[in-house]
Amino acid sequence: MKMEKDNKQQREDTTPLPHREGQGESLQYLELYQEAGNLIKSQSADVMNAVRDEAFADFQRLGFPSKKVERYKYTDIAPLFAPDYGLNLNRFHIPVDPYEAFRCDVPNLSTSLYFVVNDSFYRGEKKEERGERKEESGKGKEERGERIHLRPSLPEGVIIESLSKVAAEKPELVAKYYGKIAKTSEDGITALNTMLAQDGLFVYVPRGVQVERCIQVINILKSPFAGNQTSGSSRTNEGGLMVNRRVLIVVDEGASLKMLFCDHAADDCHFLTTQVVEAFVNDNAHLEFYCMEETHAKNVRVSNVYIDAQRNSRVNHNVITLHNGITRNKTDFVFNGEGAECSLSGCVIADKKQHVDNNTLIDHKVGHCTSTELYKYVLDDQAVGAFAGKVLVEHDAQKTSSQETNQNLCASKTARMYTQPMLEIYADDVKCAHGSTVGQLNDQALFYMQQRGISREEARLLLQNAFINEVIDEIQLEPLRDRLRYLVEKRFRGELSKCKGCKLCK
């Protein structure tokens, strides 16, 4: 495990590490924490450090989940973490100007734009540097300010900032929520992320505040090792870069928030990202949370999302995978208050040797709640897809309504899809259903369209588009919905679905 550090620290804990079958890959991360634990803590906040040692103990006990673990049986996790990835533990600055590099062309979608570079919240340029660029470009201050999307004003009390910064300034606020629903004792990936994560994003909407404008967060992966350059404390690492990102979202009572996360890679090198998201949606609050991945084939993404829904809350969570290498998404949604509603949906377009695994759990702890779930996959070439979704209705969850659907289209004979929708019901007054399908394009429909002058390839594209659009229709932001239809069509045509003017997509 390569680290960016000025001086190699001596191992503080000489306790022998357990050597268990199938856990060899976890040893390098345990040793890393024993060697660099103080360094990790010195570059983070006390609130995050308070649970770090416990997470280490849990990861030491759990290790990486094997395929024998029910929720991980479709993705072999340990080999993904085996390469010798580099980490930026010393928080060295990675030069990137996202305002210059990224242009997101979503017509008529007025967003408040923020950037996270790897796991660090981007705070923008200094005024002096911006002024120099204004003079060089010959543009006026106002024109220049609009061009780079200077940080917009937010309603009073709303916080969108670095997680470690807020944890240092308002420790009581962050400590109330951090690590409360992402249990390190139950998941090895969550334990690893909690053990190593030093920063991330904190979003807080106070009681009764309506954030009308969508908050758009661009997660940019940027490696100091790109181009095999060595400078100062950065050094060549053929294993790529590992990023451990943490996100904490709190929507207080009666508040509302719309968020769009976009994942992009700035360099053509290997990335490994672990991400843990904790979202608290309090009484009568409303959260729309959209996640879109457009990276590349060298990217490995392991994301765990935890959502806590209180009384009469509304949550719409949509996950879209357009470009990736290996992606493993886990979503745990818990109803902790009556009258709440949730909609989980996702669409996957994969080809070549891409791998996408979505695993969901909707836990109805209380009664009178409604959940709907719709995931659709289109797989081509040798792509592999997996969906496993469980709806758990506990004893006291009477009057529960739940519908779970997974539909999949294999566009080639070599594509593989694994599907496992599940219902586990312990209440007797409920209305629940689930189902899944796996199939290929309808030959009769293709023949019908060809008879009317449409080429076979164009007919395939039309049918695939129609199949996936049902998930896109779940998106409530109309401009984003229209833009995704355009991106999906380009994706099916094999074109690079990058935003207009985006210099990050290669």
Side-chain angles (χ1 to χ4, degrees):
M1 178 63 58
K2 295 182 175 65
M3 300 170 289
E4 295 181 272
K5 26 195 291 198
D6 294 328
N7 298 301
K8 186 176 182 66
Q9 303 203 356
Q10 298 296 320
R11 176 173 297 180
E12 301 160 2
D13 182 0
T14 57
T15 303
L17 297 173
H19 290 270
R20 292 170 290 166
E21 184 178 357
Q23 297 300 314
E25 292 82 356
S26 66
L27 293 180
Q28 63 171 322
Y29 296 95
L30 294 169
E31 292 171 353
L32 167 67
Y33 187 77
Q34 289 182 322
E35 293 176 359
N38 285 342
L39 173 62
I40 293 171
K41 293 175 182 177
S42 69
Q43 300 293 327
S44 190
D46 290 342
V47 173
M48 300 179 72
N49 293 335
V51 296
R52 209 177 291 278
D53 289 344
E54 182 182 352
F56 168 78
D58 287 332
F59 183 67
Q60 190 174 26
R61 174 177 57 85
L62 295 170
F64 289 113
S66 70
K67 297 182 76 172
K68 294 180 181 179
V69 176
E70 179 67 21
R71 297 196 67 181
Y72 284 89
K73 67 181 182 180
Y74 297 121
T75 302
D76 197 0
I77 291 291
L80 304 180
F81 289 80
D84 190 16
Y85 288 100
L87 294 98
N88 186 13
L89 298 184
N90 244 329
R91 319 304 295 159
F92 291 115
H93 174 68
I94 298 177
V96 61
D97 185 355
Y99 288 109
E100 288 296 320
F102 189 85
R103 299 283 186 274
C104 190
D105 181 25
V106 183
N108 302 318
L109 179 61
S110 179
T111 64
S112 299
L113 188 60
Y114 297 86
F115 293 92
V116 174
V117 179
N118 295 331
D119 65 340
S120 299
F121 184 81
Y122 183 82
R123 294 190 179 87
E125 298 176 319
K126 295 180 180 179
K127 292 182 179 179
E128 301 81 30
E129 297 171 342
R130 192 179 298 134
E132 292 175 1
R133 295 195 179 191
K134 291 173 193 169
E135 294 177 1
E136 293 172 359
S137 64
K139 294 183 181 293
K141 180 184 296 186
E142 295 178 359
E143 181 182 359
R144 180 64 174 172
E146 286 187 11
R147 180 186 168 199
I148 66 171
H149 307 285
L150 291 178
R151 188 158 314 161
S153 60
L154 294 168
E156 184 178 357
V158 175
I159 301 173
I160 301 176
E161 184 53 89
S162 158
L163 175 59
S164 64
K165 183 175 185 293
V166 178
E169 296 174 351
K170 301 177 183 292
E172 67 290 339
L173 175 61
V174 176
K176 182 179 178 181
Y177 299 100
Y178 185 77
K180 300 307 184 203
I181 53 177
K183 301 293 186 182
T184 60
S185 61
E186 299 175 359
D187 187 279
I189 299 300
T190 297
L192 176 68
N193 178 276
T194 305
M195 181 178 81
L196 297 179
Q198 294 171 285
D199 199 3
L201 180 69
F202 179 71
V203 180
Y204 175 73
V205 184
R207 181 176 181 175
V209 173
Q210 314 299 313
V211 182
E212 299 296 339
R213 179 176 292 180
C214 178
I215 304 299
Q216 184 176 11
V217 178
I218 311 299
N219 297 312
I220 297 176
L221 295 174
K222 175 71 175 177
S223 174
F225 311 120
N228 292 333
Q229 297 176 350
T230 303
S231 60
S233 55
S234 295
R235 54 180 172 163
T236 302
N237 189 336
E238 296 178 357
L241 180 69
M242 180 181 186
V243 173
N244 299 288
R245 182 188 306 129
R246 196 71 178 224
V247 179
L248 180 57
I249 302 170
V250 180
V251 187
D252 217 336
E253 183 178 349
S256 68
L257 175 67
K258 297 182 285 289
M259 292 204 70
L260 169 62
F261 274 29
C262 302
D263 283 9
H264 294 270
D267 296 315
D268 185 23
C269 61
H270 292 277
F271 291 102
L272 168 63
T273 303
T274 72
Q275 175 178 269
V276 172
V277 179
E278 292 180 282
F280 295 84
V281 188
N282 290 327
D283 294 354
N284 300 296
H286 182 201
L287 173 64
E288 295 179 41
F289 186 28
Y290 307 103
C291 298
M292 182 168 65
E293 182 181 4
E294 286 187 278
T295 54
H296 53 55
K298 297 179 181 179
N299 186 64
V300 176
R301 178 180 189 264
V302 183
S303 174
N304 289 354
V305 176
Y306 300 87
I307 302 175
D308 176 276
Q310 296 295 328
R311 181 175 54 86
N312 295 326
S313 61
R314 304 288 183 271
V315 178
N316 183 10
H317 181 38
N318 196 305
V319 181
I320 302 148
T321 305
L322 295 181
H323 281 282
N324 75 306
I326 297 175
T327 296
R328 209 278 173 173
N329 298 317
K330 186 181 90 164
T331 303
D332 283 9
F333 190 103
V334 181
F335 286 104
N336 281 314
E338 292 189 352
E341 297 179 5
C342 87
S343 172
L344 301 185
S345 56
C347 72
V348 174
I349 302 173
D351 55 12
K352 302 180 177 66
K353 295 184 178 181
Q354 295 169 342
H355 178 105
V356 184
D357 179 358
N358 283 292
N359 188 289
T360 68
L361 169 64
I362 300 178
D363 186 355
H364 287 262
K365 284 184 175 293
V366 297
H368 300 275
C369 293
T370 301
S371 66
T372 59
E373 189 169 6
L374 174 64
Y375 276 76
K376 287 195 171 190
Y377 288 62
V378 177
L379 307 175
D380 207 346
D381 301 328
Q382 296 177 310
V384 176
F387 171 81
K390 176 189 280 189
V391 176
L392 172 61
V393 182
E394 302 198 22
H395 291 281
D396 296 329
Q398 305 293 350
K399 302 296 183 181
T400 288
S401 177
S402 178
Q403 174 66 50
E404 179 185 25
T405 305
N406 173 226
Q407 296 176 334
N408 310 284
L409 184 62
C410 291
S412 70
K413 294 182 179 180
T414 52
R416 289 177 292 160
M417 181 67 204
Y418 302 93
T419 177
Q420 188 183 19
M422 295 169 279
L423 283 176
E424 190 171 330
I425 302 173
Y426 297 97
D428 54 14
D429 187 6
V430 301
K431 182 180 179 181
C432 300
H434 71 306
S436 68
T437 60
V438 180
Q440 295 181 321
L441 291 172
N442 189 307
D443 287 335
Q444 291 184 343
L446 288 172
F447 180 70
Y448 176 86
M449 297 172 78
Q450 286 178 277
Q451 282 185 316
R452 280 145 184 82
I454 300 174
S455 68
R456 184 175 180 83
E457 186 60 31
E458 190 69 20
R460 281 170 53 91
L461 292 173
L462 290 172
L463 291 175
Q464 289 173 341
N465 263 306
F467 178 79
I468 214 76
N469 273 341
E470 186 179 356
V471 175
I472 297 177
D473 289 340
E474 295 291 318
I475 295 174
Q476 298 180 18
L477 295 174
E478 184 177 356
L480 176 60
R481 187 167 63 238
D482 294 341
R483 179 62 178 172
L484 280 173
R485 288 195 181 102
Y486 169 71
L487 292 176
V488 165
E489 182 179 352
K490 290 188 70 176
R491 179 70 174 88
F492 282 134
R493 293 184 183 277
E495 302 173 8
L496 191 62
S497 56
K498 68 176 182 179
C499 297
K500 182 179 179 182
C502 178
K503 300 177 183 178
L504 296 183
C505 303
K506 306 239 190 262

